[in-house]
Amino acid sequence: MIIKKPSIFIYTNEPDAAALTEICAGIEEEGVFFELKEMETSNLDDLAWNAANDSMLGSGIAIKGKYAALQMRGLNKGRNIQSYQNPTKEQCRKLGANSARAIKKLAFK
Amino acid sequence: MTYIAGVDIGNSTTEVCVGEADLNGSIHFLTSSSCPTTGTKGTLSNTHGIKTALKQAMSKINRNMEDITLIRLNEAAPVIGDTAMETLTETIITDSSMIGHNPSTPAGAGQAVGEILLIDNLSRGVSGTAYIVAAPSSFSYEEVAALLNQSADSLDITGVILQADEAVLVENRLHKKVPIIDEVARINKLPDGVPAAIEVALPGQTIRMLSNPYGIATLLHLNAEETRTVTPIAKSLIGKRSAVVLKTPGGNVRENALPAGEIYLEAENSTSINLDEGAEKIMQVVSDAGNIRDLSGQPDTNVGNMFNRIKKGMSEVDNIPDADIHITDILAVDTMAPVLISGALAGETCLEKAVGIAAMVKTQQLPMQKIAEILKSELHTDVKVAGVEAVMAGLGALTTPGTKLPLAILDMGGGSTDAAVISEEGRVIMTHQAGAGELVSMLIETELGLSDRHMAEQIKKYPLAKVESLFHMRMENGQMTFVDESIDPRFYGRVVLLAEEGFIRIEEDIPMEKIVQVRQDAKRKVFVTNAFRALQKVAPDHDLKNISNVVLVGGSAEDFEIPEMLMDEFSNYRIVCGRGNIRGQEGPRNAVATGLVLSYAGEIQ
């Protein structure tokens, strides 16, 4: 049996380092685990949708360059919950927090 | 063809009903409409609202406003409801001696005692003294953690207070775990070098030491006298997930009783009562006083100012000298209002005792004739002020299927609750009571600590639901509803109102159960109390048992739960009580307007 921690999946494609750090911090502050994976896909919507569907918790984040998106399992591809182009530090932190709050069934920030 | 329009100007809504009269005088109803009243009821600015409503109604039957032959206005009772709220207690923190709040993610658990040390001054700390380090948001979590780890060996750091929402981030990076409180907005107000105690509760629990006076005394080494002064602090920290208490020399939390003042009743049995006595006593005194000519408050007290404000507002609207305006009835309701504690560091609130009051302001006469003249010249139609409001409402209410005389009507509007009893011979006894829909909105607004009245109005009108996932939500009655199309993420995890045009998000983070409870309590406190008060006044021999039928009309009778509450209460008196259905189609609205059109038939016969 393979035991994996239930975690939020973050699929990246050459991500912006600062954005990635802040998003991870947002998730960490909410106390949820996350896993990072660098992918071949370069489409943001595909990345987010795949991350959400692969995550046991059903919450996924995509970061491609300076683009970031939050997606949840059950939603159609492209219907991201949040997506940013060139997000600020605060927006990244909130995006991360929201991916965790989605699982905790708390209102988004 | 003659088109007759009945126009009813209410405190909050103007209603219109249009009928067609044939030659032998029988009436055929065509259309109706309603729109918000413009300006205070009975003033000239009402004409805008009247015209809008008339236009709306006529356009439904593809006619113009000019086709109307006769407009009949109600002889509106010269009473206007007004509301005010007065807090009776207040809590003041001097020298900012506590922080108690519910950050969503504090870190660590347990209590810590130490001197406050700002992170800038970390180098000034000496070994052997316990410190609680305070860090503003200009320091990132990595910097805070690095600095704390550096000095972990030389200094005894027992706890951390952060301004940013980063408690978990800092804790994960600390070598030595300590309780951490975050989201303290006004951290710059923390005095350096003062002994303090912090506590973070275990997950799922609330704090235990700092919400207990002896707990604070144990942690901060207080004597008996000092312990007495921290009791209000402990009280206001009950139920919190984290707290900070500072031991400042002059620091204190005071619970002040505000001088509320006396209410003077000029009545059959003139008397007075202090507002402090609470709503129940005040209402007893009001009902014992008999017919009230005027109410006033002790000058230069809260209640005095409140009554003056109401009277002044009324006289400004009507240009009637002060002396002609009387407050003839009040409804007082006890309530609790969350008030921002002055001197608080993280926006803490404290529940303060308050009294909500609705007053019935009576003037000599409303200038209805003037409104009629203006309408006449602007619309070039005949306009007549016809009929007393309560009689018209009775006539309209009788068009409800299943009603007959004698009949009692309870008109629950925005500003007042009116009752009338119409005997078999057609004699009418009526009364106007202060307090209705607007008082309910005010109670909801204050008890939930909402920022605006509009939101309270919405909460009053619509049932609630909690969006639990993007595909399902739980209604306030426990029922689950699933949707095919995903719910907008803006509503995720929130309590929403189920309005006709979609969801309305409640911004404040208040549990659904609490909102439901506050809403129902407010409605019960106002409408059930007033229904009994009003009907008792008009019932033959002032005995409710002499009433057999009650028809509920007016805007608040449309509410989704008020009629059921009243039905429930009245069933104990074997009274048939229910929401009216004017002309079998209008629901409880439009009774007066319908009555005005009907009374035309009576006049020409």
Side-chain angles (χ1 to χ4, degrees):
Chain A
M1 192 171 70
I2 304 164
I3 298 174
K4 278 191 106 178
K5 278 196 288 191
S7 48
I8 295 167
F9 280 18
I10 305 176
Y11 284 0
T12 59
N13 185 286
E14 294 167 6
D16 177 63
L20 181 62
T21 319
E22 285 302 319
I23 287 173
C24 293
I27 302 176
E28 188 184 335
E29 173 63 24
E30 295 289 333
V32 180
F33 303 121
F34 58 87
E35 274 175 43
L36 283 167
K37 219 182 226 179
E38 176 72 15
M39 306 297 275
E40 300 280 296
T41 327
S42 64
N43 181 304
L44 190 76
D45 292 341
D46 286 344
L47 278 175
W49 194 81
N50 290 339
N53 280 282
D54 295 347
S55 153
M56 188 196 289
L57 296 171
S59 177
I61 289 175
I63 313 171
K64 151 140 190 64
K66 283 188 177 286
Y67 293 81
L70 166 60
Q71 178 64 289
M72 279 169 82
R73 186 161 51 214
L75 292 182
N76 292 335
K77 198 178 278 184
R79 287 198 59 179
N80 300 323
I81 289 187
Q82 281 181 317
S83 63
Y84 291 110
Q85 177 188 350
N86 247 334
T88 62
K89 256 179 104 170
E90 286 74 34
Q91 283 171 332
C92 286
R93 186 71 74 90
K94 278 188 184 161
L95 187 89
N98 285 345
S99 73
R101 293 172 78 88
I103 298 157
K104 296 204 263 179
K105 300 214 184 295
L106 292 174
F108 293 137
K109 280 193 176 172
Chain B
M1 201 72 75
T2 33
Y3 289 111
I4 315 293
V7 176
D8 169 28
I9 309 162
N11 260 310
S12 32
T13 323
T14 299
E15 289 169 359
V16 160
C17 167
V18 179
E20 186 184 21
D22 59 20
L23 290 173
N24 52 28
S26 62
I27 300 272
H28 178 57
F29 289 102
L30 296 175
T31 173
S32 65
S33 74
S34 72
C35 75
T37 299
T38 46
T40 307
K41 162 183 164 181
T43 57
L44 297 185
S45 44
N46 293 164
T47 49
H48 301 286
I50 297 175
K51 281 195 278 187
T52 316
L54 282 173
K55 205 179 268 175
Q56 244 177 47
M58 291 308 274
S59 72
K60 280 188 203 163
I61 51 167
N62 295 320
R63 291 277 171 185
N64 292 325
M65 208 166 26
E66 286 73 25
D67 296 335
I68 300 171
T69 351
L70 173 66
I71 296 172
R72 291 167 70 84
L73 293 181
N74 62 325
E75 175 70 76
V79 286
I80 289 166
D82 205 345
T83 52
M85 174 72 60
E86 220 42 82
T87 14
L88 299 179
T89 54
E90 67 172 345
T91 307
I92 300 169
I93 307 177
T94 50
D95 259 0
S96 49
S97 51
M98 69 154 195
I99 301 166
H101 66 155
N102 280 325
S104 55
T105 51
Q111 313 108 28
V113 187
E115 262 180 40
I116 296 278
L117 181 65
L118 300 182
I119 197 155
D120 290 320
N121 305 341
L122 214 51
S123 54
R124 281 189 230 155
V126 290
S127 65
T129 316
Y131 288 110
I132 290 173
V133 176
S137 58
S138 51
F139 286 79
S140 75
Y141 60 92
E142 280 158 327
E143 289 169 321
V144 174
L147 284 168
L148 292 178
N149 282 337
Q150 255 174 37
S151 31
D153 295 330
S154 53
L155 293 179
D156 178 17
I157 295 166
T158 55
V160 179
I161 304 173
L162 297 175
Q163 188 174 26
D165 180 12
E166 293 180 338
V168 180
L169 288 167
V170 171
E171 204 222 9
N172 287 349
R173 284 160 183 76
L174 286 186
H175 302 320
K176 188 177 153 242
K177 304 293 179 203
V178 291
I180 305 177
I181 291 176
D182 60 355
E183 295 178 71
V184 175
R186 294 165 66 189
I187 201 159
N188 51 342
K189 288 280 173 80
L190 281 178
D192 207 2
V194 163
I198 70 172
E199 181 175 7
V200 175
L202 289 164
Q205 296 190 10
T206 58
I207 54 166
R208 314 174 80 150
M209 281 301 266
L210 295 183
S211 58
N212 168 8
Y214 300 122
I216 300 177
T218 315
L219 291 174
L220 292 178
H221 310 290
L222 304 182
N223 61 29
E225 190 48 45
E226 287 166 328
T227 307
R228 178 182 301 280
T229 62
V230 298
T231 308
I233 299 185
K235 194 186 116 197
S236 62
L237 292 178
I238 293 171
K240 300 283 188 270
R241 284 195 58 203
S242 74
V244 179
V245 173
L246 308 179
K247 189 182 177 186
T248 45
N252 199 356
V253 174
R254 273 207 319 274
E255 210 180 50
N256 272 9
L258 298 170
E262 301 257 320
I263 303 174
Y264 303 122
L265 293 92
E266 192 189 316
E268 280 173 71
N269 313 308
S270 290
T271 170
S272 72
I273 171 121
N274 199 309
L275 198 61
D276 288 342
E277 304 267 344
E280 204 176 318
K281 284 251 178 67
I282 297 175
M283 291 320 292
Q284 189 57 45
V285 167
V286 168
S287 90
D288 289 347
N291 277 331
I292 297 170
R293 283 187 294 278
D294 194 14
L295 279 161
S296 56
Q298 192 177 349
D300 296 322
T301 61
N302 281 336
V303 66
N305 295 339
M306 178 166 90
F307 283 145
N308 277 342
R309 206 164 52 230
I310 292 174
K311 285 185 184 175
K312 193 151 164 274
M314 183 70 198
S315 66
E316 270 167 13
V317 164
D318 259 3
N319 296 319
I320 302 171
D322 245 7
D324 281 344
I325 295 165
H326 302 291
I327 295 176
T328 51
D329 184 41
I330 55 167
L331 176 69
V333 178
D334 279 330
T335 166
M336 299 294 271
V339 178
L340 199 70
I341 300 172
S342 48
L345 294 176
E348 300 92 337
T349 56
C350 188
L351 273 185
E352 307 284 5
K353 246 175 87 179
V355 172
I357 286 188
M360 193 87 247
V361 193
K362 191 167 187 158
T363 63
Q364 278 180 323
Q365 188 138 40
L366 292 177
M368 298 305 292
Q369 204 57 50
K370 273 194 205 150
I371 297 177
E373 276 158 28
I374 287 187
L375 278 178
K376 199 181 222 166
S377 67
E378 285 183 4
L379 297 178
H380 309 292
T381 45
D382 207 4
V383 183
K384 207 176 155 198
V385 180
V388 180
E389 195 169 338
V391 181
M392 294 300 129
L395 261 181
L398 270 175
T399 62
T400 298
T403 54
K404 68 169 178 60
L405 291 176
L407 179 76
I409 58 166
L410 199 58
D411 184 351
M412 302 182 292
S416 68
T417 305
D418 305 338
V421 166
I422 308 164
S423 70
E424 260 166 303
E425 302 81 50
R427 265 182 300 120
V428 178
I429 306 167
M430 57 182 167
T431 181
H432 304 278
Q433 308 278 317
E438 281 163 20
L439 181 62
V440 174
S441 304
M442 189 179 74
L443 288 175
I444 294 176
E445 184 190 347
T446 40
E447 288 194 19
L448 293 178
L450 302 175
S451 46
D452 69 322
R453 177 65 60 89
H454 182 67
M455 197 53 186
E457 301 267 355
Q458 309 272 32
I459 290 178
K460 181 178 74 178
K461 270 204 332 233
Y462 301 114
L464 295 157
K466 167 119 197 218
V467 179
E468 295 196 327
S469 83
L470 289 171
F471 294 96
H472 83 280
M473 54 190 171
R474 185 178 292 279
M475 306 288 147
E476 63 174 73
N477 62 2
Q479 188 192 340
M480 297 278 261
T481 305
F482 292 81
V483 291
D484 290 333
E485 191 74 2
S486 70
I487 299 169
D488 191 328
R490 283 185 300 128
F491 300 118
Y492 183 85
R494 301 264 183 179
V495 176
V496 294
L497 293 165
L498 305 168
E500 295 102 357
E501 61 274 13
F503 297 154
I504 300 171
R505 190 170 88 165
I506 294 177
E507 298 300 329
E508 284 78 4
D509 186 20
I510 312 168
M512 180 163 74
E513 294 71 21
K514 162 101 185 177
I515 303 178
V516 171
Q517 190 208 337
V518 165
R519 184 192 72 212
Q520 291 182 342
D521 279 355
K523 286 176 179 174
R524 215 167 263 131
K525 277 184 212 167
V526 174
F527 281 110
V528 174
T529 319
N530 251 352
F532 276 94
R533 241 162 40 102
L535 287 177
Q536 225 145 29
K537 255 199 181 139
V538 294
D541 305 324
H542 299 295
D543 189 352
L544 282 182
K545 294 228 163 77
N546 295 331
I547 291 177
S548 59
N549 293 290
V550 177
V551 177
L552 307 173
V553 297
S556 299
E558 268 183 331
D559 188 271
F560 65 98
E561 56 191 355
I562 293 172
E564 280 79 5
M565 284 178 188
L566 291 177
M567 249 180 266
D568 209 34
E569 298 285 335
F570 282 131
S571 61
N572 302 333
Y573 294 83
R574 298 193 183 182
I575 296 173
V576 182
C577 165
R579 194 187 276 133
N581 194 7
I582 309 302
R583 291 187 264 121
Q585 58 178 40
E586 291 280 339
R589 287 249 189 212
N590 217 271
V592 177
T594 300
L596 281 165
V597 175
L598 275 178
S599 66
Y600 171 77
E603 275 177 31
I604 60 167
Q605 262 167 9

